[in-house]
Amino acid sequence: MLYVCIPSFNEAPTVGVLLWRIRKVFQDYSREYEILVYDDASTDSTHETLEPYRKVMPLTVIRGTVRVGYAGAVDALLR
């Protein structure tokens, strides 16, 4: 199993493109994978943008309620 960890903050316009590109890469390989996204208390519609992707790909979204910054988001993803 391969885990792809993505910290995000206010990434609504671009997070979908990134997820589909990752999905396309893994379609060519027979490896199991899981995408983990940490939504670092985004103030835009990042969380709502991620919801439909949870139904079509192996995606787990961790939603922070208080902004912890890049290092804190990476730490949360790795734990």
Side-chain angles (χ1 to χ4, degrees):
M1 174 73 76
L2 182 65
Y3 291 94
V4 178
C5 298
I6 304 169
S8 69
F9 176 71
N10 289 348
E11 298 291 339
T14 58
V15 72
V17 174
L18 176 62
L19 292 175
W20 282 115
R21 286 184 178 176
I22 292 170
R23 184 175 188 228
K24 186 173 180 168
V25 167
F26 280 104
Q27 284 177 341
D28 296 334
Y29 300 100
S30 61
R31 182 118 189 210
E32 287 187 52
Y33 70 100
E34 175 82 20
I35 300 171
L36 305 171
V37 176
Y38 185 86
D39 179 8
D40 193 11
S42 293
T43 56
D44 68 352
S45 60
T46 298
H47 186 72
E48 292 80 11
T49 302
L50 290 168
E51 280 305 308
Y53 293 95
R54 293 177 64 195
K55 296 176 180 139
V56 297
M57 59 192 316
L59 172 65
T60 301
V61 178
I62 304 166
R63 190 170 189 192
T65 56
V66 177
R67 184 135 161 67
V68 295
Y70 181 79
V74 170
D75 184 59
L77 286 165
L78 296 176
R79 289 182 189 273

